[in-house]
Amino acid sequence: MVTRVVVQRSPALRARRWARSNLFSNAWNALLTLVTLALIGFVAFVLVRFIFIEADWSVVRENRRLIFLGRFPQEHEARIWPPIWLFALLAGGSMGLWGRVNARGAAAIVVSVVLVFALLAHGANGARLGVAVVLAGGAYLLAERGLRGEAAQVRARRAAIAGWALLLPFAVVVLVAFGGAQTSRLGGFLLNILLATVAIEAALPLGVLLALGRASSLPVVRVVTTAYIETVRGAPLIAWLFVAWFVLPDVLPPVFNLDRIDLVLRAMVMLSLFTGAYIAEIVRGGLQSVAPGQVEAAKAVGLGGFDITARIVVPQALRAVIPALVSQLISLWKDTTLVSILGLTDGLGGSEAAVSQREFFGRQREVLLFAAGVFWVVAYAMSRLSLRLERSLGVGER
Amino acid sequence: MATESRTTDGAELAGSQRDIIICEGVEKWFGDFQALRGITTRIREGEKVVVLGPSGSGKSTFIRTLNRLEEHDAGRIVIDGIELNDDMRNLERIRSEVGMVFQQFNLFPHLTALRNITLAPQKVRRLPRREAEALAMELLERVGIPEQADKFPGQLSGGQQQRVAIARALAMRPKIMLFDEPTSALDPEMIKEVLDVMRELARSGMTMIVVTHEMGFAREVADRLLFFDEGLLIEEGTVEHFFTNPREERTRLFLSQIL
Ligand SMILES: Nc1ncnc2c1ncn2[C@@H]1O[C@H](COP(=O)(O)OP(=O)(O)OP(=O)(O)O)[C@@H](O)[C@H]1O
Ligand SMILES: [Mg+2]
């Protein structure tokens, strides 16, 4: 008989064993490990030294308007806060409703809040940012602790989903309507965020419809959608933005002033149409992955074509392609910066404008690193959100 | 034709004189290949029919023509007085009168067991949600797994999934139930729980057409057996007939292989 004695090893010993078997299993691996560690250490050292010692972050604080709002008229600036507050409320509440914030997450949130305050809070802004933080925290606590019973949970979740759906229209109305800013004056990261949000919300349904069209049994529908998808994918986004700039005004009929729509709206339309084509191809892959038995079972219980598509096929197709979809949307988020070729000042453009001022010469590194940070934070948040979504939809469980 | 009934309860239903399914010369082609070569038979209301035959003989194709998952190319199929043709309205009526259970269950993986069952009653029969849910719970009781209502198919065993699938089909209150090898994808220990549900369904008087290799089940429940080979219905009769003196050599060979 063999008896195996399980010895409780100390964590240090376990770590050493893990390192031995994973990092130093032979000479070649050991060398690779050392080189990699040296590289990581060097980059980290340079970054940390720059961020905390060499950099002068006042350039970001002084230029925060330019970076975040571009040429957005000053008299309407207060209008950006209600949407931000609604966003904070929804973000905090959703985190409490759908997720748990663990210690690492909490630490990351605290660090970001401190960073945001350090870099951006100034005068009245500080108080307004404070309101956002209080709203987010309050909503989180209320959602996490304050809801008694399943029914309350369900209601709160419905309210949150409705809130998210209303966020974009709310923001647009607050910013632009009732004598607000002209859309053509939108700029800075506000412009990137609005372009990306509008394009995501328009491109997703468009992509699904195009994918369904391409899979349709009607030849006309199939040919038209296929032609659309292949044409759009045949040229780079930059080319389509040029089309929006130079060609569209001549082609569009002069009714409703369509030919004189401002550049921001044209950019929104182009980004949506462009991303829609790519999403269509991703969704098409998802449609093909739905087992034929699903449609048969749905037919057998008497469901009609619309219900089969909308309730059985599309949800499963989307679920199967979440990673690819999110990756496409992240790429859209970064592509919004291409609108600078239309002469619009987005977040990156605003950053460049900031350092082209005489008194900020030589501070490009701070501003560009900051801009990169903003792009990264949003992209990373999208990627985390997609993981969360995948888990809650039970992808891979079948 | 079978005149005697082997069911114990509800036996008089099996003797009902009304033909609920009429097939006359049904043919089905897949390209150049003829899968059904003129099937003619009638099934009475409440009758339990077991379909036998070697692989590729057209058993699945046959029962799939009965709810028009496959369109027949020639011949006539009349279900409960409604002829199966290109008329969309007929199709809707047939589909809600004929329930089907598949070998691979085909539950909707993104919906809970309960939603799998309530979906069609809500969307097709326009039942309010509460009523649909009450109906679903009643059916889950009937198949013995009310406690699994809120689980997703991926969280259920094969036997449980197949029982949810049966409940899903029953939720449309069908008059006829089609089963295509309902236990073939199941581990042996789960076969019985599904067959038990089917036995109970048979006792309740449901008209059932079952493709299966479970001869114990056939012996116990079937009023009549149909034997398919190469797209032809080559022999039909009672269980006694099949087990004592099948007429065709093919049938004899097949039975000797599976028994
Ligand atoms: N969609 C299809 N396209 C082409 N051929 C098909 C199709 N479906 C079935 N067939 C063919 O029709 C014949 C009958 O198939 P069917 O599935 O009805 O057989 P079966 O008796 O159910 O067999 P099994 O016991 O293996 O399930 C087979 O030869 C099969 O290859
Ligand atoms: Mg078959």
Side-chain angles (χ1 to χ4, degrees):
Chain A
M1 227 169 81
V2 184
T3 38
R4 188 167 275 204
V5 182
V6 180
V7 185
Q8 283 290 332
R9 298 196 186 87
S10 74
L13 198 64
R14 273 220 309 262
R16 246 165 64 196
R17 275 172 176 270
W18 180 87
R20 162 97 47 76
S21 62
N22 287 289
L23 302 177
F24 298 100
S25 54
N26 58 39
W28 175 238
N29 271 356
L31 184 69
L32 269 183
T33 302
L34 288 178
V35 169
T36 314
L37 280 180
L39 261 175
I40 293 175
F42 177 71
V43 171
F45 171 74
V46 169
L47 261 181
V48 167
R49 191 181 58 181
F50 177 74
I51 291 175
F52 291 103
I53 299 168
E54 295 174 357
D56 174 6
W57 292 105
S58 65
V59 58
V60 170
R61 186 169 331 115
E62 307 278 311
N63 289 295
R64 61 182 187 281
R65 285 202 65 249
L66 199 50
I67 298 173
F68 280 93
L69 300 179
R71 295 184 298 123
F72 194 74
Q74 203 148 13
E75 71 265 27
H76 295 308
E77 220 174 282
R79 287 172 180 257
I80 66 166
W81 289 98
I84 291 179
W85 290 331
L86 179 58
F87 173 82
L89 191 76
L90 290 168
S94 302
M95 240 179 257
L97 283 171
W98 279 284
R100 291 280 163 278
V101 178
N102 57 18
R104 232 174 58 201
I109 289 172
V110 170
V111 169
S112 341
V113 169
V114 170
L115 275 180
V116 167
F117 269 89
L119 285 172
L120 305 175
H122 205 258
N125 268 1
R128 287 161 171 167
L129 276 174
V131 171
V133 172
V134 169
L135 281 173
Y140 176 77
L141 288 179
L142 193 70
E144 149 121 87
R145 307 266 155 78
L147 292 173
R148 297 268 165 274
E150 185 123 348
Q153 276 267 342
V154 171
R155 262 196 313 255
R157 286 182 178 199
R158 283 214 190 111
I161 290 170
W164 283 114
L166 287 176
L167 180 59
L168 177 66
F170 176 73
V172 169
V173 166
V174 170
L175 288 172
V176 183
F178 307 118
Q182 290 168 302
T183 46
S184 60
R185 299 291 299 275
L186 293 168
F189 277 115
L190 176 68
L191 176 61
N192 296 86
I193 290 170
L194 283 175
L195 285 172
T197 319
V198 168
I200 287 173
E201 293 192 9
L204 272 177
L206 173 67
V208 170
L209 287 179
L210 285 171
L212 290 171
R214 196 164 184 179
S216 159
S217 53
L218 304 172
V220 178
V221 177
R222 211 167 47 228
V223 166
V224 169
T225 49
T226 307
Y228 174 86
I229 292 168
E230 296 306 343
T231 310
V232 169
R233 294 200 308 165
L237 178 56
I238 275 217
W240 290 117
L241 289 175
F242 271 121
V243 168
W245 192 6
F246 295 120
V247 184
L248 230 47
D250 300 333
V251 187
L252 283 177
V255 284
F256 306 125
N257 289 339
L258 269 181
D259 54 334
R260 292 176 41 200
I261 281 179
D262 69 60
L263 281 174
V264 171
L265 290 180
R266 278 190 233 162
M268 282 177 179
V269 171
M270 270 335 209
L271 281 168
S272 309
L273 295 180
F274 185 80
T275 305
Y278 283 84
I279 288 182
E281 284 300 279
I282 295 173
V283 173
R284 189 163 71 96
L287 291 175
Q288 286 166 350
S289 78
V290 177
Q294 289 293 310
V295 175
E296 290 183 354
K299 281 183 182 169
V301 286
L303 288 175
F306 177 80
D307 282 323
I308 295 177
T309 304
R311 298 183 184 277
I312 305 299
V313 177
V314 169
Q316 290 185 56
L318 289 180
R319 206 175 77 145
V321 297
I322 290 172
L325 269 184
V326 172
S327 162
Q328 186 64 46
L329 297 182
I330 288 176
S331 135
L332 162 67
W333 157 240
K334 290 174 299 182
D335 283 349
T336 54
T337 190
L338 290 176
V339 299
S340 57
I341 63 139
L342 301 183
L344 298 171
T345 312
D346 75 321
L348 198 56
S351 305
E352 278 162 9
V355 288
S356 63
Q357 302 163 83
R358 169 168 300 221
E359 65 266 43
F360 298 113
F361 268 180
R363 303 256 70 110
Q364 289 97 325
R365 283 187 300 177
E366 283 86 347
V367 175
L368 288 182
L369 190 65
F370 177 77
V374 174
F375 277 115
W376 179 81
V377 164
V378 174
Y380 185 68
M382 287 165 84
S383 133
R384 293 299 302 226
L385 200 64
S386 99
L387 281 183
R388 166 117 258 146
L389 202 64
E390 270 179 60
R391 226 174 313 145
S392 73
L393 292 178
V395 174
E397 270 179 27
R398 277 269 143 181
Chain B
M1 284 278 137
T3 45
E4 68 192 302
S5 161
R6 296 193 58 83
T7 47
T8 41
D9 302 315
E12 66 285 328
L13 281 168
S16 152
Q17 286 311 301
R18 205 166 82 89
D19 288 328
I20 196 163
I21 300 176
I22 301 169
C23 298
E24 282 168 8
V26 174
E27 294 182 19
K28 173 70 191 175
W29 296 78
F30 292 111
D32 294 340
F33 176 77
Q34 190 169 14
L36 295 179
R37 301 196 283 165
I39 306 296
T40 300
T41 189
R42 284 164 181 254
I43 292 166
R44 281 159 304 142
E45 198 166 12
E47 203 177 6
K48 314 333 161 199
V49 175
V50 163
V51 180
L52 297 173
S55 182
S57 57
K59 309 181 293 289
S60 297
T61 308
F62 172 63
I63 71 168
R64 288 158 58 87
T65 57
L66 298 181
N67 66 348
R68 215 167 168 75
L69 283 183
E70 305 287 1
E71 293 173 16
H72 56 288
D73 299 307
R76 227 161 69 90
I77 301 177
V78 181
I79 308 278
D80 199 21
I82 310 163
E83 168 140 21
L84 280 187
N85 52 30
D86 291 332
D87 189 336
M88 290 295 288
R89 273 166 308 156
N90 282 357
L91 186 62
E92 276 170 28
R93 277 169 64 199
I94 296 299
R95 292 249 169 93
S96 49
E97 279 196 17
V98 182
M100 184 158 192
V101 174
F102 302 84
Q103 180 175 352
Q104 299 297 341
F105 327 138
N106 293 352
L107 288 180
F108 308 130
H110 59 303
L111 302 178
T112 61
L114 191 80
R115 287 289 294 151
N116 260 279
I117 302 171
T118 58
L119 185 61
Q122 279 184 260
K123 295 298 159 201
V124 184
R125 291 236 191 274
R126 303 263 163 242
L127 230 55
R129 190 168 63 96
R130 272 175 211 291
E131 278 176 44
E133 281 174 2
L135 169 66
M137 284 315 295
E138 184 186 304
L139 288 167
L140 282 172
E141 293 286 347
R142 186 168 172 191
V143 300
I145 41 172
E147 72 283 357
Q148 310 292 349
D150 294 322
K151 294 225 179 118
F152 287 90
Q155 300 167 317
L156 300 175
S157 75
Q160 291 170 333
Q161 290 190 52
Q162 194 59 300
R163 288 189 279 165
V164 173
I166 294 174
R168 175 177 70 181
L170 291 176
M172 291 299 286
R173 301 246 178 260
K175 292 187 178 162
I176 302 164
M177 283 285 282
L178 309 174
F179 294 83
D180 193 356
E181 306 202 32
T183 56
S184 298
L186 295 177
D187 293 337
E189 68 269 23
M190 294 169 188
I191 291 178
K192 182 174 176 298
E193 64 188 47
V194 171
L195 290 183
D196 283 344
V197 169
M198 292 169 62
R199 281 191 195 97
E200 186 272 325
L201 197 57
R203 278 197 299 274
S204 76
M206 177 70 71
T207 309
M208 291 165 68
I209 304 177
V210 185
V211 178
T212 185
H213 298 301
E214 293 291 330
M215 293 317 291
F217 175 82
R219 207 188 269 263
E220 189 184 333
V221 170
D223 300 308
R224 185 153 53 107
L225 303 185
L226 306 183
F227 183 76
F228 277 66
D229 193 29
E230 296 186 342
L232 288 168
L233 171 52
I234 63 170
E235 188 158 4
E236 59 183 309
T238 62
V239 177
E240 267 90 352
H241 166 81
F242 269 80
F243 283 79
T244 51
N245 60 345
R247 195 179 63 234
E248 301 287 331
E249 184 53 37
R250 292 266 202 178
T251 320
R252 219 168 288 166
L253 196 67
F254 177 78
L255 286 173
S256 72
Q257 276 166 359
I258 66 163
L259 285 179

